[in-house]
Amino acid sequence: MQIVPNSAPALLGESIAGLVEADGTASASWPIALAYPATPLRDLADAVHALCALHGMAPSIIDQATTAPGASGAIREWLTTAALAFDAERTFLATLTAAVGPLPSTPGQAQSEAAIVSQRHALTMLAESNRVGCAIGATASFLLEWTSIRRVLVIAGERVGVFPERSPLPGDRQTITMLNDLGGGSATRRAVTFGAQQLLAQHRGLWQLLDARASARRGN
């Protein structure tokens, strides 16, 4: 008997979750290094300041995505709820940024600031994209990414005595289910995937920048 392989594509939610696992913060080398107990506080502080600059301002990428094409009905309601929940996370991020102290002195500060401004602009472009599904893909991958990003923030918080409440954001499984229920054809699926890939690329760039900044502070 000839066995015909199952060529059906993976569900969209599982596909995006796989991208985040493979190419996101959880697999990046610098966040892993920041989790070591001997990591200098200045390196954690640098990460906190950068994350606040990228994601701590209003409106968040989730807020922006609520009015994007494809975000209607139940999806828009889901995104609106997630955006309100992220307000609490943004408050935690602001509190933590103040607690870790000033941004550590680092060579090339102006270039670093310009890079983060550019990343923020790129995220805004994704969240406000007219391509149906792009903003939803970027937002969903951001929510899945935040699970790993938050671990870095919690580690920094423990070092300075700032302990967050449990995250009010949708859990990973809820986000994956939302994507699975999104509907739309292959064009929407490609747009969602593109949005996710571009969001992950911005985060990879951020961690690489922070790694380079730490090396510059060490004089390497």
Side-chain angles (χ1 to χ4, degrees):
M1 178 184 297
Q2 183 179 8
I3 299 176
V4 179
N6 182 5
S7 59
L11 291 173
L12 182 57
E14 276 69 21
S15 176
I16 298 303
L19 280 176
V20 171
E21 182 178 0
D23 298 331
T25 295
S27 63
S29 60
W30 189 238
I32 293 172
L34 289 175
Y36 293 156
T39 295
L41 180 58
R42 66 178 181 271
D43 290 347
L44 283 164
D46 200 33
V48 170
H49 278 274
L51 288 166
C52 189
L54 188 60
H55 293 303
M57 293 185 291
S60 70
I61 185 175
I62 316 174
D63 286 311
Q64 293 167 317
T66 58
T67 58
S72 59
I75 297 298
R76 177 170 294 171
E77 183 178 346
W78 191 92
L79 289 170
T80 300
T81 300
L84 289 173
F86 191 70
D87 287 343
E89 292 293 89
R90 194 162 49 217
T91 298
F92 163 54
L93 183 54
T95 300
L96 182 58
T97 302
V100 296
L103 188 69
S105 177
T106 308
Q109 181 60 39
Q111 293 90 331
S112 296
E113 290 176 356
I116 293 176
V117 168
S118 177
Q119 288 177 326
R120 175 78 186 182
H121 176 70
L123 295 182
T124 296
M125 294 294 288
L126 287 172
E128 296 180 348
S129 171
N130 289 326
R131 185 178 177 185
V132 175
C134 180
I136 294 172
T139 301
S141 63
F142 171 70
L143 289 168
L144 294 170
E145 272 279 88
W146 194 254
T147 300
S148 297
I149 290 172
R150 200 176 200 268
R151 293 191 189 107
V152 175
L153 299 178
V154 169
I155 289 169
E158 290 173 346
R159 296 280 292 271
V160 296
V162 175
F163 303 99
E165 301 290 334
R166 183 175 179 178
S167 174
L169 291 174
D172 290 355
R173 176 45 55 184
Q174 291 175 283
T175 302
I176 291 168
T177 299
M178 181 274 291
L179 288 171
N180 287 340
D181 295 341
L182 182 60
S186 58
T188 298
R189 184 184 178 100
R190 287 194 298 270
V192 169
T193 302
F194 174 80
Q197 289 171 332
Q198 294 303 305
L199 183 284
L200 295 174
Q202 296 304 320
H203 280 177
R204 283 198 307 275
L206 179 68
W207 295 122
Q208 290 164 3
L209 172 64
L210 293 173
D211 191 353
R213 283 172 57 80
S215 294
R217 286 192 294 273
R218 293 193 299 267
N220 294 341

